């Protein structure tokens, strides 16, 4: 494939941002990676996950409503571990020690998906070519959803703003049982080839997939029976898929963010990389401390996309610098004050694309 290129202006916004943010950490004598705030949160989330898992698998409550509630909670905790532990770990921002980052990244394998594939899909493709249709795999939910004006429209898309949440619910199950294998066997994410896998990467891929099947399929079927397991497993994976999708989509596929399709013969983005990130990414509900804690700073997606190697615990502080630079350079800083504003905007976006 022709890899898209970005403009490289002399007056680079990215260089200016980097300089001010480096100075900020220098002044405070702080490391830009995760600290005790993140590590204590990781312990809380992992312990909570294990407690709910053990309770459901070995001490299944008699009341059906309690089982369903616990399965939803397990789905929420899976998403929270994904946002807070795996995501920072895979970006190398969880800790200053690389083996701790690797361990945090491996939480994704434990939860059924594969961190090697994720690093290509997310760190390389999505973070570099954000919202470029045909390259950014996050825009690909075809044929069920049309997420870019460059994608073919089918009659069913007229209703996508009504049924999108059902598609999102399927994301996790589809990821664990289908798209990971597709990437593995095709050795690419969309058009982008994945890095060369060493024999240890193959072993890790198959070893963790087998472990996941053992812990989340075979063992619960053995302890609670097939019917209870299938209901619980679907509730669990639907909750995780819905939460993961909504949080990730709200940052890029909303009415105010740009989506582009490049000329296949001339794959040049007409702006520098950092400006492209600012045009394609939105923040939401940044003043909501509980939400920020739960979604691992993914409501500060602008700061995350500009500085994925900085841990999300620092985003509230560095967002002030990013805003300042945007104001000085006359670049729009897209932010929705509350979660519901971003959600409404996402629904509007889906509605417009379903009709246009
Ligand atoms: Zn990321």
């Amino acid at each position: 494939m022709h890899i898209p290129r970005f403009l490289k202006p002399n007056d680079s916004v990215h260089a200016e941002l980097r300089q001010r943010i480096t100075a900020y950490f220098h002044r405070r004598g702080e490391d830009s990676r995760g600290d005790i705030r993140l590590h204590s949160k990781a312990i809380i989330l992992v312990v909570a996950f294990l407690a709910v898992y053990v309770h459901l698998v070995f001490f299944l409550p008699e009341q059906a409503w309690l089982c369903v509630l616990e399965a939803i909670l397990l789905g929420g905790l899976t998403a929270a571990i994904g946002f807070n532990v795996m995501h920072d770990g895979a970006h190398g921002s969880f800790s200053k020690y690389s083996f701790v980052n690797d361990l945090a990244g491996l939480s994704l394998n434990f939860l059924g998906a594969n961190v090697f594939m994720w690093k290509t899909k997310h760190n390389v493709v999505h973070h570099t070519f954000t919202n470029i249709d045909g390259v950014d795999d996050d825009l690909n939910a075809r044929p069920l959803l049309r997420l870019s004006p460059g994608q073919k429209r089918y009659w069913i898309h007229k209703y996508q703003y009504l049924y999108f949440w059902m598609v999102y619910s399927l994301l996790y199950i589809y990821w664990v049982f289908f798209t990971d294998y597709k990437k593995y066997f095709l050795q690419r994410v969309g058009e982008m080839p994945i890095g060369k896998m060493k024999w240890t990467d193959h072993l890790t891929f198959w070893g963790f997939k087998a472990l996941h099947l053992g812990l989340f399929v075979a063992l619960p079927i053995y302890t609670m029976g097939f019917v209870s397991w299938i209901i619980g497993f679907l509730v669990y994976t639907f909750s995780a898929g819905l939460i993961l999708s909504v949080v990730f989509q709200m940052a890029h596929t909303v009415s105010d963010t740009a989506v582009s399709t490049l000329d296949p013969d001339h794959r040049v983005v007409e702006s520098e990389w950092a400006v492209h990130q600012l045009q394609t990414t939105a923040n939401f509900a940044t003043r909501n401390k509980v939400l920020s804690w739960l979604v691992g700073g993914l409501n500060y997606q602008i700061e995350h996309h500009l500085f994925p190697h900085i841990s999300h615990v620092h985003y509230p502080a560095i967002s002030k610098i990013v805003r300042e630079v945007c104001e000085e350079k006359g670049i729009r800083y897209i932010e929705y004050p509350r979660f519901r504003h971003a959600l409404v905007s996402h629904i509007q976006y889906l509605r417009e694309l379903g009709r246009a």
Side-chain angles (χ1 to χ4, degrees):
M1 73 174 283
H2 287 298
I3 294 176
R5 285 180 295 117
F6 292 90
L7 297 186
K8 288 202 166 72
N10 292 329
D11 178 24
S12 160
V13 173
H14 198 209
E16 180 68 37
L17 282 164
R18 258 202 324 256
Q19 194 197 341
R20 290 196 203 183
I21 284 166
T22 310
Y24 163 84
F25 282 108
H26 201 73
R27 245 190 346 263
R28 297 178 61 96
E30 264 177 30
D31 193 275
S32 63
R33 283 152 301 185
D35 54 24
I36 184 73
R37 287 172 289 177
L38 176 56
H39 304 147
S40 54
K41 173 159 65 168
I43 293 169
I44 293 170
L45 292 173
V46 170
V47 169
F49 179 92
L50 293 175
V52 178
Y53 172 86
V54 167
H55 194 243
L56 267 175
V57 174
F58 297 103
F59 308 95
L60 190 70
E62 276 178 20
Q63 305 91 321
W65 65 268
L66 193 57
C67 300
V68 171
L69 203 69
E70 284 191 26
I72 294 172
L73 182 61
L74 199 66
L77 286 164
T78 296
I81 290 171
F83 298 144
N84 290 280
V85 184
M86 174 288 276
H87 184 229
D88 273 39
H91 275 301
S93 66
F94 184 83
S95 159
K96 55 185 166 192
Y97 302 108
S98 62
F99 80 95
V100 179
N101 285 319
D102 290 344
L103 214 63
L106 274 180
S107 61
L108 184 65
N109 290 30
F110 178 79
L111 294 168
N114 180 266
V115 74
F116 187 95
M117 304 298 157
W118 169 262
K119 282 184 181 175
T120 305
K121 175 188 159 70
H122 183 78
N123 296 11
V124 180
V125 181
H126 172 66
H127 268 272
T128 314
F129 308 111
T130 315
N131 274 13
I132 299 179
D133 189 19
V135 188
D136 185 356
D137 197 50
D138 284 19
L139 284 178
N140 185 10
R142 289 173 296 176
L144 293 174
L145 297 175
R146 182 176 189 243
L147 295 175
S148 152
Q151 294 173 358
K152 193 169 164 36
R153 192 173 73 85
Y154 299 103
W155 66 268
I156 195 169
H157 294 145
K158 218 186 335 183
Y159 308 102
Q160 65 176 2
Y161 74 101
L162 297 172
Y163 68 70
F164 72 95
W165 58 273
M166 286 193 261
V167 180
Y168 289 173
S169 302
L170 295 171
L171 167 103
Y172 187 64
I173 219 167
Y174 191 63
W175 179 9
V176 170
F177 294 107
F178 179 69
T179 52
D180 256 354
Y181 292 102
K182 187 177 165 195
K183 288 171 202 145
Y184 180 87
F185 287 112
L186 295 177
Q187 290 286 296
R188 58 185 166 83
V189 174
E191 283 183 56
M192 186 73 75
I194 60 171
K196 190 158 172 41
M197 292 181 81
K198 292 182 286 210
W199 69 269
T200 44
D201 298 320
H202 288 284
L203 195 71
T204 308
F205 183 93
W206 290 107
F208 272 102
K209 286 287 181 194
L211 179 72
H212 177 259
L213 284 175
L215 290 176
F216 290 84
V217 181
L219 181 63
I221 289 177
Y222 176 73
T223 59
M224 65 178 78
F226 181 80
V227 174
S228 302
W229 166 75
I230 190 77
I231 296 169
F233 189 71
L234 291 178
V235 172
Y236 159 57
T237 54
F238 286 0
S239 321
L242 183 63
I243 299 168
L244 284 163
S245 302
V246 166
V247 169
F248 275 105
Q249 292 292 35
M250 231 122 71
H252 303 292
T253 47
V254 280
S255 302
D256 295 280
T257 49
V259 178
S260 53
T261 311
L262 298 180
D263 174 352
D265 304 319
H266 179 72
R267 311 253 286 181
V268 178
V269 182
E270 297 300 333
S271 55
E272 73 161 292
W273 175 82
V275 174
H276 177 79
Q277 296 306 321
L278 286 158
Q279 290 165 340
T280 53
T281 310
N283 283 4
F284 59 88
T286 52
R287 274 172 296 170
N288 185 333
K289 292 221 161 66
V290 176
L291 185 101
S292 300
W293 191 89
L294 286 169
V295 303
L298 285 174
N299 51 339
Y300 283 92
Q301 281 273 2
I302 294 178
E303 286 68 29
H304 176 59
H305 265 257
L306 292 168
F307 298 99
H309 302 300
I310 295 179
S311 171
H312 71 262
V313 293
H314 302 290
Y315 291 162
I318 68 168
S319 74
K320 296 188 184 89
I321 303 169
V322 177
R323 275 170 209 270
E324 206 173 80
V325 172
C326 284
E327 213 163 287
E328 286 170 24
K329 305 267 182 191
I331 303 166
R332 190 172 169 209
Y333 183 95
I334 309 168
E335 178 165 55
Y336 297 96
R338 292 183 191 280
F339 175 84
R340 66 167 189 273
H341 298 133
L343 185 63
V344 167
S345 185
H346 178 57
I347 295 171
Q348 267 165 359
Y349 178 84
L350 291 173
R351 195 166 182 206
E352 276 162 33
L353 276 182
R355 291 176 161 186

